[in-house]
Amino acid sequence: MCSLMQHKPEPHKPLKMQDKAAFKERLLDHNASLDVDSPMSPIALSTIICTITEKNSDPELIGEMISFGMKVARFDMNYTTASDQAILIKKFRSGVLEYSKKIRKVCTVAIAIELKGTVISIGAFHNNVEKLNLKAGEVIMLSASRAYDDCGTNERIYVDYDELPSILQPKDKLYLHYGRIELQVRGVVDNDIVCEIVTGGNLPPHTELTVLGVPLNLSAITEKDVEDLNFALDAEVDAIIIPMVRTGSSVDEVRDILGKRRYPMQIIFIFRNLEVHSSLALESIKGACNFFIPFRLCHVELSTEKVMQAQKSMVARANKAGKPVYAVTEYLNSMIHENCPTFAEATDVINAVIEGVDGLILEEETAIGDHPGVVVQTLSQLCREAESQIWQSDIYSTLTNAAAPPVDPAHAICMAAVESSLKAHASGIIVVTTSGKSAILIARYRPRCPVFAVTRYGAVARKMNLYKSVLPVHVLSPPHPCWSKDVDLRMQEGIDYGKAINIIKPGDALILVNSWRPGAGFTNNIRIVYAS
């Protein structure tokens, strides 16, 4: 029986008034904006994406990362084949299933595959050397000949763009390892580019090569990417990450390939040039892509002091457009080998969450790190702390003002649900959803409490992990013959899950959202009840 109380019990006590006044006074001294009524959530509402490799694919380690807050698993196709990743994905899914049996609950973790994209990079080194020490003033050759792949030395290294020698001129600038190493072109001999090392340093293998001021004839995806994209469709993953998008036509190119297969996959684009796309991103992402990621390690193309300004601009534009945006790049890099972050890294994470990002992506921290579980736990704690410092009501007001009327009825109901949760200080918004659209619309307006998306569809539940504030609840029980009774039973499943993770407590206000009839697109019902 559904145990929802229709009368209001004694509410839980908020912060004392004198504590609020003192807290607000301290905040005003620092020009801060904090919703003092928003307690720290027991779990992070931001999406945490972890990179999975053979090193961290042990079922016990996978379960540990999930328990600490991993919502999406990222598989990088950069230096691996589809067959290798197929084995790794199968192993990962087995680990998720094993963890689900352990906790006696369906664990919904989304899988995202990142393609290599049209990045110009160098090859591996002779005898699998981990790095080359390039010294300023010396000469090195970049060869487009595949004969030098996997055998790079201090004299010659391979570059995987065949047309590069034909488009470079003397005095052109080349950058390796995200601008840490600078080369100047002296001349071109056949397939070899003779360069002087202007700024030296340690060079890892497979490092990206950046060319400035030279037009490059690069498409959005390569032949390998097309093969990997078809593999991702066959593997039924939940999202695909397309790196280094430079033009709006790149978005359409990927859409055309996916349209032929008609598979409902989320698409995440990594925008390459922050300065250019900070002005174009809004138009590019409105209808073309589901998510996007500003590429922060681009201080070669954009001066270092302007990178964060460009990122803030892109995040703000994405929030207004209702498109989730993720942050990536060295957020907890010191934790690859250490068990705690630096103060600067912790501050960077907290600022990114307060800025408005929907989630953060861990790359080397979990892919090759010594303590992947500790990294996820640390990131989750930092996100929780940051989320408690966001002025939700102000953000809601800004986002609703940006929504130009008229909006469709389901959209209006979702906006009303968020406003009701703010006014009632609700502990959760419970949404019974078929396609996930209602939960996504509610999450778009940044509610102060979690959105429990209750669904019977596994693909929808996994997709919900990609959105901030949404906690999917996958219902396995068969539908009840009576529609209204079935809705109440599913609502109760969401409430029970909220209680199990210590978010919903007896007496808490809850916002219930559902449709008036079975199927997708009929959301028009909102209720306020109190947990028993």
Side-chain angles (χ1 to χ4, degrees):
M1 180 179 291
C2 184
S3 56
L4 302 178
M5 296 180 62
Q6 300 301 324
H7 64 281
K8 182 174 181 179
E10 186 68 25
H12 60 282
K13 294 182 179 180
L15 294 174
K16 294 180 180 179
M17 290 305 298
Q18 58 267 33
D19 295 338
K20 284 186 180 181
F23 202 13
K24 285 183 176 179
E25 186 177 350
R26 290 200 305 272
L27 291 171
L28 289 173
D29 291 339
H30 295 83
N31 297 318
S33 297
L34 177 64
D35 185 354
V36 296
D37 292 320
S38 295
M40 186 186 293
S41 172
I43 62 174
L45 300 181
S46 298
T47 296
I48 296 177
I49 302 176
C50 302
T51 302
I52 303 298
T53 60
E54 193 63 40
K55 184 175 180 179
N56 63 356
S57 61
D58 181 74
E60 187 174 341
L61 197 51
I62 289 171
E64 183 181 352
M65 288 191 289
I66 295 173
S67 67
F68 286 138
M70 177 178 69
K71 295 183 179 180
V72 182
R74 168 183 173 267
F75 294 83
D76 194 351
M77 302 297 296
N78 244 314
Y79 315 115
T80 57
T81 62
S83 57
D84 292 336
Q85 289 291 15
I87 296 171
L88 192 58
I89 290 174
K90 185 177 180 180
K91 189 175 181 180
F92 174 78
R93 282 173 168 161
S94 297
V96 174
L97 182 60
E98 188 174 318
Y99 179 71
S100 297
K101 291 178 180 177
K102 180 180 178 181
I103 64 173
R104 296 183 178 181
K105 175 188 170 295
V106 179
C107 186
T108 56
V109 180
I111 293 178
I113 285 184
E114 181 169 335
L115 305 182
K116 185 179 186 298
T118 51
V119 178
I120 303 174
S121 58
I122 64 172
F125 302 145
H126 185 61
N127 291 333
N128 293 322
V129 175
E130 292 186 0
K131 60 184 178 181
L132 297 178
N133 185 10
L134 305 186
K135 297 181 180 179
E138 293 184 352
V139 174
I140 189 170
M141 286 189 285
L142 305 180
S143 177
S145 174
R146 295 186 181 275
Y148 295 101
D149 193 7
D150 298 331
C151 58
T153 64
N154 283 67
E155 289 75 35
R156 182 186 275 109
I157 54 178
Y158 169 72
V159 60
D160 64 359
Y161 185 39
D162 297 340
E163 298 179 20
L164 191 61
S166 63
I167 61 177
L168 290 179
Q169 300 292 330
K171 295 189 178 181
D172 282 343
K173 299 286 187 180
L174 307 177
Y175 296 90
L176 289 165
H177 202 18
Y178 304 115
R180 295 181 176 92
I181 297 174
E182 180 182 345
L183 308 178
Q184 184 173 0
V185 178
R186 282 189 176 181
V188 176
V189 180
D190 296 329
N191 286 329
D192 292 340
I193 307 163
V194 183
C195 302
E196 180 184 350
I197 303 171
V198 179
T199 305
N202 292 323
L203 178 66
H206 303 295
T207 299
E208 180 184 348
L209 174 71
T210 304
V211 185
L212 294 186
V214 178
L216 301 175
N217 184 24
L218 295 171
S219 61
I221 55 176
T222 63
E223 292 181 7
K224 180 183 184 301
D225 292 334
V226 174
E227 295 175 3
D228 293 340
L229 191 54
N230 286 316
F231 156 72
L233 292 166
D234 293 335
E236 296 184 354
V237 302
D238 305 289
I240 193 79
I241 302 175
I242 315 294
M244 306 313 163
V245 176
R246 293 174 172 84
T247 63
S249 60
S250 303
V251 177
D252 299 328
E253 191 175 343
V254 175
R255 280 287 186 193
D256 290 341
I257 296 172
L258 292 177
K260 295 175 183 177
R261 296 286 297 270
R262 296 186 179 182
Y263 184 80
M265 183 185 294
Q266 302 298 298
I267 307 175
I268 306 170
F269 289 97
I270 302 179
F271 283 81
R272 176 66 176 135
N273 190 322
L274 286 182
E275 186 176 38
V276 173
H277 288 288
S278 61
S279 60
L280 300 179
L282 184 59
E283 295 304 319
S284 299
I285 67 179
K286 261 185 177 178
C289 63
N290 307 105
F291 309 78
F292 82 104
I293 304 169
F295 185 67
R296 199 168 67 162
L297 271 183
C298 65
H299 53 265
V300 177
E301 302 176 2
L302 191 63
S303 59
T304 305
E305 63 272 12
K306 291 185 178 180
V307 168
M308 293 310 298
Q309 298 176 29
Q311 176 174 302
K312 287 176 183 292
S313 175
M314 290 188 78
V315 170
R317 287 170 181 268
N319 289 162
K320 281 190 175 182
K323 300 289 185 177
V325 54
Y326 298 138
V328 66
T329 309
E330 299 180 340
Y331 276 99
L332 297 176
N333 229 36
S334 67
M335 293 192 72
I336 294 174
H337 301 298
E338 303 295 333
N339 60 3
C340 63
T342 65
F343 179 77
E345 288 172 339
T347 304
D348 197 12
V349 169
I350 290 174
N351 283 336
V353 175
I354 293 176
E355 243 172 53
V357 301
D358 292 75
L360 295 102
I361 300 177
L362 297 170
E363 296 183 315
E364 293 181 348
E365 298 95 329
T366 55
I368 61 173
D370 299 332
H371 319 284
V374 177
V375 173
V376 179
Q377 183 182 29
T378 302
L379 182 58
S380 180
Q381 290 172 342
L382 291 171
C383 289
R384 287 164 53 207
E385 180 63 40
E387 289 159 4
S388 68
Q389 298 179 31
I390 297 174
W391 194 355
Q392 305 289 162
S393 57
D394 185 61
I395 293 174
Y396 171 76
S397 176
T398 302
L399 294 176
T400 51
N401 289 337
V407 296
D408 62 80
H411 196 153
I413 286 291
C414 292
M415 293 170 67
V418 177
E419 183 165 6
S420 300
S421 71
L422 290 169
K423 299 294 186 183
H425 281 196
S427 293
I429 301 174
I430 319 296
V431 187
V432 173
T433 180
T434 301
S435 64
K437 183 179 178 181
S438 299
I440 293 170
L441 278 173
I442 292 173
R444 171 178 177 171
Y445 291 97
R446 296 293 196 262
R448 68 186 293 278
C449 58
V451 180
F452 296 91
V454 186
T455 181
R456 283 198 167 92
Y457 302 95
V460 173
R462 293 192 301 273
K463 181 176 72 173
M464 293 297 97
N465 278 310
L466 294 162
Y467 295 87
K468 183 177 182 177
S469 300
V470 181
L471 302 179
V473 182
H474 188 189
V475 177
L476 297 179
S477 59
H480 194 277
C482 175
W483 166 249
S484 59
K485 182 67 174 178
D486 185 58
V487 168
D488 281 348
L489 289 172
R490 282 184 284 170
M491 289 287 188
Q492 190 61 52
E493 292 242 18
I495 295 171
D496 291 341
Y497 175 65
K499 289 179 179 178
I501 59 177
N502 296 320
I503 288 180
I504 297 176
K505 296 179 176 61
D508 286 356
L510 301 172
I511 311 299
L512 310 184
V513 180
N514 64 279
S515 57
W516 65 279
R517 53 170 291 183
F522 301 106
T523 300
N524 69 345
N525 190 7
I526 179 173
R527 291 178 282 167
I528 302 178
V529 300
Y530 294 87
S532 62

